[in-house]
Amino acid sequence: MTTSFGAANTAIFIDPKLQIQSFNGLKPSGLIPVHKNVHVVSVSSPSSSTIRAVSTPVKPETAAEPKRSKVEIFKEQSNFIRYPLNEEMVNDAPNINEAATQLIKFHGSYLQYNRDERGAKSYSFMLRTKNPSGKVSNRLYLVMDDLADEFGIGTLRLTTRQTFQLHGVLKKDMKTVMGTIIRNMGSTLGACGDLNRNVLAPPAPLVRKDYLFAQETAENIAALLTPQSGFYYDVWVDGEKFMTAEPPEVVKARNDNSHGTNFPDSPEPIYGTQFLPRKFKIAVTVPTDNSVDIFTNDIGVVVVSDDNGEPQGFNLYVGGGMGRAHRLESTFPRMAEPIGYVPKEYILYAIKAIVVTQRDNGRRDDRKYSRLKYLISSWGIEKFRSVVEEFYGKKFEPIRELPEWEFKSFLGWHEQGDGSLFCGLHVDNGRIKGVMKKTLREVIEKYNLNVRITANQNLILCDIRRAWKRPITTLLAQGGLLEPRYVDPLNVTAMACPALPMCPLAITEAERGTPDLLKRIRAVFEKVGLKHNESIVVRVTGCPNGCARPYMAELGLVGDGPNSYQVLCSLQCYLSVSVFFLFKWSMKHELNPFLCQQQIWLGGTPNQTSLAQCFLNKVKIQELEKGFEKLQGLVDKWEGVPKSSGKFNLKLFADKETYQAVDELAKLQNKTAHQLAMEIIRNYVAAEQNGKSIE
């Protein structure tokens, strides 16, 4: 339905010379009672006579004015993310000013320019959609495909957060493109900026209670944390608001202020004038399915079901995040940790309480330290939990035990569970272009298919009738979209961010360099005798912000200079059992592998449940193989596992030194030495067996 936004909010007309009060700051602690006052801001520009009430907590009169970043001031003066963006978008300049450049992120867009071109900068905008659970209707996919050709650079980019990115849109076309997306029931609102980003969930269209419940929960969380003040529609569709009816439980949770979470008189009841200190990321999943990199999010939500498969509640994990800065050890990637369990009827209230705790306590002076992970690292999980519980109004229950995690790609053909099929398609680095783009358009349009985007930059075609499988398979193959068994396993799990030439933060290549990089890694594998089915998780980013989540990879390359990378590596990226090789050799030569001259860091896993550690710094891309040679040199010096005289070699550790070394590594993954050793051995045996079956 459509409604006029202006009619939904009462406007107060007063003397235009009325002075606007300044920002009063947020509560210094979630435990301090909320006392509020009202101040006013203009609707379109400082000269407007229309104001709206905005509530912000009162700071103690004795407190010094808190230091704030420039972005915080832009937000305060923006009239809820409108000004000066609304004026900048209608002038003749090809770009927008600094304040508008920050504010347009909240609308789902970044100002960029082509860094390959010399001379005057050729400005354009990147748009990012918001698709909870990665769901994309047939209609929206076809619209995005058209927009890429007419207003973009002719490609669509699938992101690591289950959304589209559309590059190369000129300023003069922005309103047309944004309006087209909105009118076709799409959105870019909140895909960027200091608020909740796209909510992830397993993309598979499986007709299973837990998967359906996870996807529904993701959509409800996304609705709960969507901005309410109408700035998005004011700027792009002249105030006309396109919306679908929200579930009553979402509206109830948003409006509830029984524990002081809301700004009662504000158009933004959860966010207020200042929104959040930085971006905020949430993912929902089901036990065993780590297709969403659950521990890399500010909040990880895991469905817990009873023995009959009925969802009962959720385990919650908090404090994950990938971004860091080179040569600044006070910044770091971090995995989310458990905060507790909540019954399913309280999940929206618990999520809101966590968000509000970050809103009121996250740092707003230095954006390098504004993510939730730094607040939790500073406070500790116990203090953080206690503050959240004040806003939640309840105590968290103990976390429920879960089975082991695994990465699920959902590639290939699968049963949905309702008689239909779905087909997961591998898309190198998420870039849909050329013949592939035309083929996908033909298939999706001809068979009227809905699609879903995965968190691994791939695409799923949904609701396929059995009779369509053969003709669709033929069409896809003609477009270069092969079944997974015909794709190099390295490519199947690899990810890269766009980086150069469009990203202003990129230090070096990522997406454009990854295809050649994977070929070189495969050549190294062949050189040391690894089979074609052997693979590792490779992720590449052009800067340390970690959009492709390289810190969870088995081999992560993070740009740290022109054609230069920091290499993150787990020993599993060389051989399933090479952890034994390195530690045995290092102990024999009385070396601590964590203090070697080249700074070896260990830990990434195939199911993304532990952080990778730095292996080498400042590795020139032309010399990447030398890093492997260094590791191979350590492996070559290992003398092997002593043979057992018994029928079965049940003794895992032949000597104390090896045990101690493996125990150190196991602690990094919150495991015992025995658990880690058995896991590695099982992986190795499985890999060997798989190799023989293929042959």
Side-chain angles (χ1 to χ4, degrees):
M1 64 178 177
T2 62
T3 60
S4 171
F5 173 70
N9 293 270
T10 302
I12 307 170
F13 294 91
I14 62 165
D15 185 345
K17 295 182 181 180
L18 178 69
Q19 185 176 2
I20 299 173
Q21 296 181 21
S22 62
F23 170 65
N24 287 316
L26 295 169
K27 290 177 289 183
S29 170
L31 295 173
I32 294 179
V34 181
H35 304 286
K36 303 181 185 295
N37 74 322
V38 176
H39 68 89
V40 295
V41 293
S42 66
V43 167
S44 59
S45 72
S47 62
S48 173
S49 60
T50 305
I51 65 163
R52 293 198 179 97
V54 181
S55 296
T56 51
V58 174
K59 65 180 181 182
E61 293 187 4
T62 57
E65 183 71 22
K67 179 183 176 183
R68 292 185 291 150
S69 71
K70 188 184 294 186
V71 175
E72 290 298 311
I73 297 171
F74 290 155
K75 288 187 285 188
E76 177 193 353
Q77 298 175 348
S78 71
N79 181 27
F80 295 99
I81 321 300
R82 291 175 175 85
Y83 177 81
L85 177 63
N86 52 355
E87 296 183 357
E88 286 290 305
M89 290 306 297
V90 297
N91 64 33
D92 294 331
N95 59 338
I96 54 180
N97 68 18
E98 183 183 7
T101 296
Q102 292 297 327
L103 298 178
I104 201 170
K105 295 177 184 179
F106 292 76
H107 297 252
S109 181
Y110 284 85
L111 177 64
Q112 300 181 334
Y113 66 92
N114 192 330
R115 294 169 62 185
D116 282 347
E117 298 178 359
R118 296 295 177 260
K121 295 179 180 178
S122 54
Y123 290 102
S124 65
F125 291 81
M126 180 274 284
L127 278 66
R128 182 184 296 151
T129 60
K130 205 168 185 183
N131 310 90
S133 305
K135 291 183 179 180
V136 181
S137 69
N138 175 270
R139 174 182 172 186
L140 181 59
Y141 183 92
L142 297 178
V143 165
M144 295 301 297
D145 185 77
D146 287 337
L147 291 174
D149 289 339
E150 187 174 356
F151 299 104
I153 60 173
T155 72
L156 282 172
R157 184 59 151 66
L158 310 178
T159 78
T160 59
R161 292 201 70 78
Q162 298 184 281
T163 67
F164 287 118
Q165 282 186 179
L166 183 63
H167 292 89
V169 180
L170 299 180
K171 179 179 168 180
K172 66 182 180 64
D173 297 323
M174 280 288 286
K175 193 164 186 177
T176 298
V177 173
M178 286 286 209
T180 301
I181 293 172
I182 293 169
R183 291 184 176 93
N184 286 278
M185 305 314 293
S187 178
T188 65
L189 172 59
C192 321
D194 299 344
L195 70 176
N196 181 54
R197 302 290 186 88
N198 195 51
V199 181
L200 306 186
L206 295 170
V207 183
R208 271 178 43 178
K209 292 178 181 179
D210 54 351
Y211 274 83
L212 294 173
F213 190 58
Q215 292 157 5
E216 178 188 358
T217 301
E219 291 158 20
N220 286 347
I221 292 171
L224 172 74
L225 299 176
T226 294
Q228 299 295 299
S229 56
F231 62 82
Y232 181 64
Y233 302 99
D234 282 355
V235 172
W236 306 112
V237 288
D238 301 322
E240 189 178 14
K241 195 172 184 180
F242 292 75
M243 55 186 291
T244 56
E246 293 182 320
E249 61 267 29
V250 172
V251 177
K252 182 180 178 182
R254 182 190 299 124
N255 294 337
D256 179 78
N257 195 31
S258 55
H259 301 288
T261 54
N262 287 23
F263 300 99
D265 304 315
S266 174
E268 291 292 351
I270 295 177
Y271 291 127
T273 60
Q274 300 306 112
F275 289 78
L276 299 180
R278 280 295 302 273
K279 68 181 78 171
F280 201 90
K281 298 180 177 181
I282 301 174
V284 185
T285 193
V286 302
T288 76
D289 185 345
N290 200 17
S291 61
V292 297
D293 264 354
I294 191 73
F295 299 109
T296 67
N297 291 270
D298 293 276
I299 305 178
V301 183
V302 183
V303 175
V304 177
S305 300
D306 63 18
D307 293 340
N308 297 318
E310 290 290 341
Q312 299 298 308
F314 303 88
N315 280 354
L316 294 182
Y317 303 82
V318 293
M322 293 285 95
R324 51 177 284 274
H326 284 310
R327 288 165 286 281
L328 191 61
E329 293 185 4
S330 55
T331 66
F332 44 82
R334 188 181 193 274
M335 285 179 57
E337 60 183 301
I339 188 173
Y341 169 89
V342 299
K344 61 183 179 182
E345 59 268 26
Y346 299 126
I347 183 59
L348 296 180
Y349 299 89
I351 294 292
K352 183 179 174 184
I354 295 169
V355 170
V356 168
T357 301
Q358 162 67 352
R359 179 197 72 192
D360 289 355
N361 298 282
R363 287 183 60 172
R364 294 179 182 264
D365 59 333
D366 190 335
R367 291 175 65 81
K368 291 193 300 296
Y369 305 104
S370 293
R371 290 290 299 275
L372 178 66
K373 62 182 177 180
Y374 296 112
L375 177 63
I376 296 176
S377 293
S378 172
W379 279 6
I381 191 65
E382 296 302 327
K383 177 180 177 180
F384 182 79
R385 182 185 292 111
S386 68
V387 174
V388 171
E389 287 173 342
E390 291 290 324
F391 286 121
Y392 178 36
K394 299 176 178 62
K395 294 287 185 181
F396 285 105
E397 298 179 28
I399 209 85
R400 302 300 196 254
E401 185 175 351
L402 297 177
E404 290 292 321
W405 294 99
E406 60 181 280
F407 169 72
K408 296 180 184 291
S409 72
F410 301 112
L411 296 181
W413 289 92
H414 303 269
E415 298 277 353
Q416 286 187 179
D418 59 357
S420 296
L421 305 174
F422 72 89
C423 182
L425 303 173
H426 171 69
V427 181
D428 273 339
N429 298 316
R431 182 70 66 179
I432 299 175
K433 60 182 179 180
V435 176
M436 178 199 297
K437 183 172 178 293
K438 294 178 181 178
T439 301
L440 282 172
R441 169 79 188 218
E442 180 182 354
V443 171
I444 291 168
E445 188 169 32
K446 180 177 180 179
Y447 294 97
N448 194 31
L449 302 179
N450 297 319
V451 305
R452 299 194 185 180
I453 303 170
T454 81
N456 221 54
Q457 302 176 307
N458 294 320
L459 197 68
I460 293 176
L461 307 182
C462 306
D463 307 314
I464 302 172
R465 297 180 188 175
R466 293 181 181 279
W468 298 345
K469 180 178 178 180
R470 179 171 293 181
I472 286 178
T473 300
T474 301
L475 283 172
L476 293 174
Q478 291 171 352
L481 290 155
L482 304 176
E483 293 187 40
R485 68 176 181 269
Y486 299 120
V487 180
D488 190 320
L490 285 170
N491 292 67
V492 167
T493 56
M495 290 201 299
C497 69
L500 296 174
M502 301 305 295
C503 179
L505 302 177
I507 304 170
T508 190
E509 297 284 0
E511 178 186 339
R512 294 193 301 190
T514 298
D516 179 64
L517 170 68
L518 296 176
K519 291 177 183 177
R520 292 166 63 187
I521 294 173
R522 177 57 65 195
V524 172
F525 275 28
E526 292 173 353
K527 183 178 179 181
V528 299
L530 293 177
K531 298 182 177 70
H532 183 76
N533 66 305
E534 295 280 1
S535 183
I536 57 172
V537 177
V538 181
R539 294 178 177 178
V540 187
T541 59
C543 80
N545 287 318
C547 293
R549 303 189 286 273
Y551 308 109
M552 303 299 288
E554 293 178 273
L555 176 61
L557 275 70
V558 178
D560 65 354
N563 296 315
S564 175
Y565 296 87
Q566 184 181 62
V567 180
L568 302 106
C569 183
S570 75
L571 292 184
Q572 293 181 30
C573 78
Y574 219 80
L575 279 175
S576 301
V577 292
S578 59
V579 60
F580 296 113
F581 302 172
L582 177 57
F583 275 104
K584 179 74 175 181
W585 182 86
S586 62
M587 288 299 179
K588 180 178 179 181
H589 291 79
E590 298 181 350
L591 293 175
N592 184 335
F594 295 99
L595 299 176
C596 291
Q597 189 172 6
Q598 291 296 337
Q599 194 179 27
I600 299 173
W601 296 2
L602 311 171
T605 52
N607 61 355
Q608 285 81 60
T609 55
S610 63
L611 286 170
Q613 305 292 318
C614 184
F615 174 53
L616 291 172
N617 282 305
K618 288 288 184 182
V619 177
K620 291 294 183 183
I621 191 63
Q622 300 89 340
E623 301 175 353
L624 182 63
E625 285 80 359
K626 292 184 179 179
F628 292 109
E629 290 172 5
K630 179 179 179 62
L631 183 55
Q632 181 64 38
L634 302 181
V635 172
D636 289 342
K637 294 178 182 291
W638 186 61
E639 297 175 354
V641 177
K643 293 183 178 180
S644 170
S645 57
K647 183 177 180 181
F648 299 105
N649 183 11
L650 299 179
K651 187 176 181 181
L652 287 174
F653 303 102
D655 54 76
K656 181 179 179 182
E657 290 81 3
T658 302
Y659 168 78
Q660 290 175 335
V662 175
D663 187 53
E664 284 187 40
L665 183 60
K667 288 176 181 177
L668 294 176
Q669 302 184 28
N670 295 319
K671 299 174 182 175
T672 66
H674 184 273
Q675 287 174 328
L676 179 59
M678 289 303 299
E679 179 180 307
I680 293 171
I681 292 170
R682 289 191 189 104
N683 289 343
Y684 178 74
V685 171
E688 287 295 299
Q689 291 173 340
N690 289 339
K692 290 176 183 177
S693 64
I694 289 175
E695 293 175 349

